């Protein structure tokens, strides 16, 4: 499994190519807020509020949104780093941690995560070879083999093992540390890798190197990525599907060309036009949105985006829009009354125009 | 043009702690009144050190500064005592990246701005408060009267950065230093703050030095861009020239590594390697170890920053503008 050129073992694949690798249904997480002693009602931060999506095999799903929209909480809930309040997951056709499904330990081995802070996610007292070998050793791999595998992985991520294997995390640069984190994630031969802002802290020139590495590894090992980022350029580059989140809910999801070409939700359009222009003759003249994202403790009723939305209408306050498929591509879904002729919003048109 | 508002001549900064690090190496910058300069570079390239040196914020004992800084006729390196206090905040002031850390958490926003105004001029309490409130309105903080009495932690990130700008502009400085003011903000808030900065600059006619690692943000606000690498300025030109006809291989690489829609499905052209260690800079061009065009001369001699028609570049083998036009 380690010395031979890597071939994804067919034993892994159970559901067949059409079965999405991961299906998430109605994931919810509300964090209680400690109020004052006189406060009767307990408040909750609606961090993730009914999120459902699926990730096809071998594809990359990019999750974008502003801070506080629940993208990182979603990642942590999927990796079971925290317990969800409700919701279920299906991994390659098998329910996760359910009766008759895949066991949690096994699920965790097929899923690895790379975090934003490359320094904080490495143990400062272990050399990087020890760090990479640590997980497999805990899962019963003999020490010598784990070490050899660690060296192979280091070579694969572009760090010469004879030079780097015995170094400590503080002796590496940010880009090198992130490569170590990627190598560690690969040590279990995972099928799904969650990259939570994995390139956000890197300098532009180094970021490009790491993105290239991620693309190569994905092709080589048939990995599936869940790529979380606030950088819309990077998500556009790396993703096959994009999911846009706002205040704990999915507002739009679909293939990357549809999201970047014909965004159907006013929030997605605002987010895309907030990216600074690269053309000095065509600078941005007015900002697409006013104000900051609202507080997730008391989200607005109905559509959560309505108090920043230029198309808001009383119906947006009364009912919250459901995520519905758009004409032209059933995979492209948006949660906005403008796209639903039956919603009663005066701006809603029967065709795709919005 | 008359004498420039800001001029840095051969400025070098060395930090001498346990290790010696040359953070700035013979940097020359001139900035006219009302001009906006974007300092672009990666971490460790010396952009923030330049700003902090302009305000003399580095600890004097462990910092060795050589060269000359002149701002609005003051010899900055010779300022002392009360003159330095008045210079900081009065002539030059700064907006930091983390507004949450730059404000004092135990005073309200209004108190802090009022204090700054009173420290710089003989203004009565009531007049200073009115002026502070006016500043909060000018940076477009909604319900400014209510926010005046808010503590920093009660404001959102974007609001705090606006308050920070209000504080920086409270004494009508001639030069505003902005150290990655939008990096910590969300995309939709970032563009609001960039537009606000541009508008305030136009209204007040102040000069701005805007430090960023994001070319997009620099393009939105700056007239001119200086690209820094390992404590040196490697290229300086108008925004249009930098974006369309970059001449230094590093700038070319930086622009090529900026991810865009057109790159989908193909590998990015990454600049290989990592920035050099500032404690052990190579003897020649500091970019030579990562550069595809490096020759023997690049490894031996530091290329000078030579200007031709307003486009300055420090490279022995600059890219030809014609070849880069596409």
């Amino acid at each position: 499994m380690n010395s031979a050129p890597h071939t994804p073992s067919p034993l892994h694949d159970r559901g067949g190519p059409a079965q999405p690798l991961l299906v998430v249904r109605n994931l919810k997480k509300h964090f209680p807020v400690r109020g004052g002693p006189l406060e009767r009602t307990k408040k909750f931060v609606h961090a993730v509020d009914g999120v459902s999506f699926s990730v096809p095999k071998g594809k990359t799903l990019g999750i974008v949104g502003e801070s506080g929209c629940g993208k990182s909480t979603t990642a942590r809930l999927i990796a079971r780093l925290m317990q969800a309040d409700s919701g279920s997951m299906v991994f390659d056709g098998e329910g996760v941690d359910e009766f008759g499904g895949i066991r949690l330990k096994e699920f965790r081995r097929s899923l690895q995560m790379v975090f934003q802070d490359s320094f904080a996610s490495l143990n400062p007292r272990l050399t990087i070879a020890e760090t990479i070998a640590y997980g497999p050793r805990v899962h019963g791999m003999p020490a010598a083999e784990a070490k050899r595998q660690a060296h192979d992985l280091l070579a694969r991520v572009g760090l010469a093992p004879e030079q780097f294997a015995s170094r400590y995390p503080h002796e590496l640069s940010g880009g090198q540390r992130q490569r170590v984190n990627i190598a560690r994630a690969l040590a279990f031969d995972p099928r799904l890798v969650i990259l939570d802002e994995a390139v956000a802290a890197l300098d532009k020139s180094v970021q490009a190197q790491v993105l290239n590495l991620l693309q190569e590894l994905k092709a080589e090992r048939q990995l599936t990525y869940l790529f979380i980022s606030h950088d819309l350029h990077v998500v556009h580059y790396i993703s096959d599907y994009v999911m846009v989140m706002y205040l704990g809910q999915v507002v739009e999801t679909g293939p990357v060309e549809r999201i970047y070409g014909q965004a159907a939700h006013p929030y997605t359009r605002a987010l895309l036009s907030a990216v600074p222009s690269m053309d000095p003759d065509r600078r941005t003249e007015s900002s697409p949105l006013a104000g900051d994202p609202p507080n997730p403790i008391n989200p607005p009723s109905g559509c959560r985006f309505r108090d920043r939305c230029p198309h808001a209408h009383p119906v947006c306050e009364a009912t919250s829009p459901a995520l519905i498929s758009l004409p032209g591509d059933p995979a492209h879904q948006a949660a906005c009354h403008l796209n639903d002729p039956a919603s009663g919003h005066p701006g809603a048109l029967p065709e795709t125009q919005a | 043009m008359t004498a420039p508002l800001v001029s840095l001549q051969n400025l070098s900064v060395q930090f001498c702690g346990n290790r010696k690090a040359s953070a700035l190496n013979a940097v020359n910058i001139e900035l006219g009144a009302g001009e906006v300069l974007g300092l672009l570079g990666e971490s460790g390239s010396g952009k923030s050190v330049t700003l902090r040196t302009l305000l003399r914020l580095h600890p004097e004992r462990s910092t060795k500064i050589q060269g000359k800084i002149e701002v609005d006729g003051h010899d900055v390196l010779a300022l002392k005592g009360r003159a330095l206090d008045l210079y900081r905040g009065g002539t030059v002031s700064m907006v930091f990246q983390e507004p949450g850390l730059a404000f004092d958490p135990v005073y309200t926003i209004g108190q802090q701005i009022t204090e700054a105004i009173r420290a710089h001029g003989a203004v009565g309490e009531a007049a200073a408060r009115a002026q502070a409130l006016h500043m909060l309105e000018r940076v477009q903080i909604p319900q400014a009267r209510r926010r005046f009495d808010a503590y920093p932690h009660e404001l959102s990130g974007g609001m705090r950065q606006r308050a920070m700008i209000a504080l920086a502009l409270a004494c009508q400085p001639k030069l505003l230093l902005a150290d990655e003011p939008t990096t910590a903000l969300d995309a939709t808030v970032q563009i609001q703050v960039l537009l606000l900065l541009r508008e305030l600059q136009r209204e007040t006619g102040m000069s701005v030095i805007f430090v960023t690692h994001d070319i997009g943000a620099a393009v939105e606000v700056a007239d001119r861009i200086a690209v820094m690498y390992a404590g040196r300025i490697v290229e300086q030109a108008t925004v249009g020239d930098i974006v369309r006809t970059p001449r230094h291989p590093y700038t070319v690489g930086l622009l090529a590594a900026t991810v865009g829609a057109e790159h989908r499905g193909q590998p990015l052209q990454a600049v290989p390697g990592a920035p050099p260690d500032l404690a052990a800079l190579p003897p020649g061009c500091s970019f030579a170890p990562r550069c595809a065009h490096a020759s023997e001369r690049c490894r031996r001699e530091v290329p000078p920053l030579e200007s031709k028609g307003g486009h300055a570049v420090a490279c022995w083998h600059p890219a030809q503008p014609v070849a880069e036009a596409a």
Side-chain angles (χ1 to χ4, degrees):
Chain A
M1 164 177 153
N2 306 304
S3 54
H6 187 89
T7 45
S9 63
L11 278 179
H12 266 130
D13 199 350
R14 280 181 259 214
Q19 170 73 38
L21 185 65
L22 181 73
V23 180
V24 174
R25 284 194 211 118
N26 206 13
L27 208 58
K28 262 189 196 156
K29 180 78 189 175
H30 294 180
F31 294 107
V33 186
R34 225 174 9 166
L38 296 175
E39 273 178 85
R40 274 278 193 72
T41 48
K42 215 171 181 188
K43 290 186 198 158
F44 291 93
V45 174
H46 298 240
V48 174
D49 214 0
V51 166
S52 306
F53 62 92
S54 63
V55 196
K57 270 181 197 151
K59 302 286 184 194
T60 301
L61 173 71
I63 303 184
V64 294
E66 295 173 277
S67 52
C69 73
K71 34 188 210 310
S72 289
T73 309
T74 306
R76 277 153 202 269
L77 292 177
I78 293 171
R80 290 292 182 107
L81 296 179
M82 51 174 79
Q83 196 68 37
D85 293 344
S86 71
S88 62
M89 285 191 286
V90 176
F91 188 77
D92 202 4
E94 291 177 291
V96 175
D97 205 18
E98 283 171 9
F99 179 72
I102 183 174
R103 293 232 312 279
L104 194 56
K105 190 173 169 189
E106 212 180 315
F107 171 66
R108 279 199 175 127
R109 275 174 62 159
S110 343
L111 168 146
Q112 288 294 310
M113 200 159 164
V114 177
F115 298 90
Q116 172 171 10
D117 190 337
S118 62
F119 194 62
S121 47
L122 291 172
N123 186 337
R125 293 175 169 231
L126 294 185
T127 66
I128 61 173
E130 282 165 357
T131 293
I132 297 170
Y134 192 87
R137 287 204 55 199
V138 169
H139 281 259
M141 192 185 271
E145 201 190 329
K147 190 179 164 198
R148 200 171 43 79
Q149 188 200 17
H151 282 226
D152 288 350
L153 283 167
L154 275 178
R156 180 60 201 92
V157 298
L159 301 172
E162 56 278 8
Q163 233 190 83
F164 287 97
S166 53
R167 292 205 196 174
Y168 287 90
H170 71 266
E171 298 175 294
L172 303 180
S173 71
Q176 289 167 340
R177 276 199 298 265
Q178 208 53 294
R179 285 168 192 267
V180 173
N181 279 313
I182 292 169
R184 178 177 61 180
L186 295 178
F188 280 108
D189 213 4
R191 301 182 63 197
L192 177 68
V193 181
I194 300 178
L195 301 150
D196 187 358
E197 300 272 13
V199 298
L202 304 177
D203 282 322
K204 276 278 170 321
S205 64
V206 178
Q207 180 179 326
Q209 297 169 11
V210 175
L211 284 174
N212 281 342
L213 174 69
L214 287 173
Q215 293 286 64
E216 286 166 31
L217 291 171
K218 183 183 158 202
E220 232 173 77
R221 299 172 169 247
Q222 274 137 44
L223 297 171
T224 303
Y225 286 154
L226 200 62
F227 192 90
I228 295 171
S229 179
H230 68 277
D231 186 332
L232 293 157
H233 288 304
V234 173
V235 169
H236 193 180
Y237 170 71
I238 205 166
S239 310
D240 300 299
Y241 296 90
V242 177
M243 181 166 105
V244 184
M245 289 186 70
Y246 187 76
L247 277 186
Q249 291 180 332
V250 179
V251 295
E252 185 165 6
T253 176
V256 64
E257 321 80 61
R258 294 272 304 196
I259 298 282
Y260 281 80
Q262 347 171 359
H265 198 285
Y267 176 65
T268 314
R269 286 200 293 265
L271 202 61
L272 290 174
S273 59
V275 174
S277 84
M278 285 294 288
D279 187 348
D281 295 334
R282 289 180 19 217
R283 287 177 168 183
T284 313
E285 285 309 322
S286 63
S287 119
L289 285 183
D292 295 83
N295 193 333
I297 292 181
N298 283 317
S301 69
C303 174
R304 296 194 171 177
F305 182 57
R306 67 178 161 82
D307 44 10
R308 294 172 87 193
C309 181
H311 310 288
H313 182 264
V315 70
C316 302
E317 190 178 338
T319 45
S320 54
L323 203 59
I324 54 164
S325 292
L326 297 172
D329 189 347
H332 187 188
Q333 300 177 317
C336 178
H337 289 313
L338 281 174
N339 299 303
D340 185 2
S343 67
H345 193 294
L349 291 172
E351 277 314 301
T352 45
Q353 213 256 319
Chain B
M1 201 165 80
T2 48
L5 180 75
V6 184
S7 105
L8 308 185
Q9 287 155 32
N10 272 326
L11 184 69
S12 298
V13 174
Q14 261 193 343
F15 296 122
C16 324
N18 297 335
R19 299 189 320 154
K20 253 190 192 169
S22 318
L24 282 188
N25 301 295
V27 167
N28 289 292
I29 293 178
E30 283 200 354
L31 186 69
E35 220 184 336
V36 182
L37 175 75
L39 275 186
L40 187 69
E42 306 190 347
S43 45
S45 63
K47 26 187 219 312
S48 298
V49 174
T50 311
L51 293 198
R52 284 162 186 272
T53 312
L54 265 167
L55 271 185
R56 297 251 316 265
L57 292 181
H58 293 297
E60 260 163 52
R61 207 176 292 166
S62 58
T63 318
K64 227 162 78 190
I65 304 176
Q66 281 165 339
K68 206 165 174 212
I69 308 178
E70 252 177 55
V71 179
D72 194 26
H74 302 283
D75 181 358
V76 175
L77 295 178
L79 287 179
K80 269 197 204 107
R82 178 77 182 141
L84 183 60
D85 289 347
L86 283 177
Y87 165 77
R88 290 177 177 157
T91 314
V92 179
S93 76
M94 186 146 162
V95 175
F96 295 88
Q97 177 175 354
E98 263 303 333
L101 298 176
F103 274 113
D104 191 327
V106 298
Y107 294 97
T108 64
I109 299 285
Q111 281 171 336
Q112 295 186 51
I113 300 178
T114 310
E115 184 195 1
I117 294 171
R118 295 199 69 191
H120 281 273
V123 188
E125 173 77 27
R129 281 177 67 92
Q131 204 179 327
L133 185 62
H134 174 66
M135 281 318 298
L136 287 181
E137 278 160 4
R138 268 184 75 190
V139 296
Q140 298 158 15
I141 291 187
Q143 298 168 299
R145 203 168 287 279
R146 235 184 72 207
R147 308 277 194 227
F148 188 87
D149 293 317
Y151 288 90
H153 73 269
E154 296 175 309
L155 302 181
S156 65
M159 213 65 84
R160 250 188 310 221
Q161 196 56 281
R162 283 168 194 267
M164 186 81 230
I165 294 173
L167 174 62
L169 298 185
C171 302
Q172 288 111 35
K174 292 189 169 137
L175 173 65
L176 179 71
L177 308 174
D179 189 359
E180 310 236 14
T182 60
T183 307
L185 304 176
D186 281 317
T188 57
V189 183
Q190 166 177 335
I191 197 79
Q192 295 170 28
V193 173
L194 288 177
L195 291 175
L196 173 72
L197 273 175
R198 211 160 76 191
E199 201 183 305
L200 289 172
Q201 191 275 328
R202 224 176 274 158
E203 267 174 38
T204 56
M206 61 183 172
S207 304
V208 179
I209 300 183
F210 185 89
V211 159
T212 181
H213 66 272
D214 179 359
I215 302 181
V219 167
E220 287 285 359
V221 293
D223 304 321
R224 225 157 23 108
I225 290 184
V227 182
M228 294 192 78
Y229 185 79
R232 295 194 179 97
I233 291 182
V234 295
E235 186 163 6
Q236 194 180 146
T238 59
V239 172
D241 282 350
I242 291 278
V243 174
R244 291 196 200 100
T245 57
R247 300 199 60 202
H248 195 281
Y250 174 65
T251 319
V252 175
L254 206 59
L255 284 165
T258 304
V259 193
E262 62 277 14
H263 301 104
R264 268 191 66 77
Q266 44 185 320
L268 296 167
Q269 289 175 358
V271 185
D277 182 359
L278 291 174
L281 283 179
C285 172
S286 16
F287 188 60
R290 299 175 77 187
C291 183
H293 313 288
S295 68
E296 205 35 59
R297 192 178 186 190
C298 301
R299 288 181 199 101
R300 228 175 35 235
E301 292 172 61
V302 178
L305 189 69
E306 275 172 1
S307 178
K308 211 172 96 187
H311 193 146
V313 61
C315 181
W316 294 119
H317 313 289
Q320 287 313 304
V322 189
E324 288 298 322

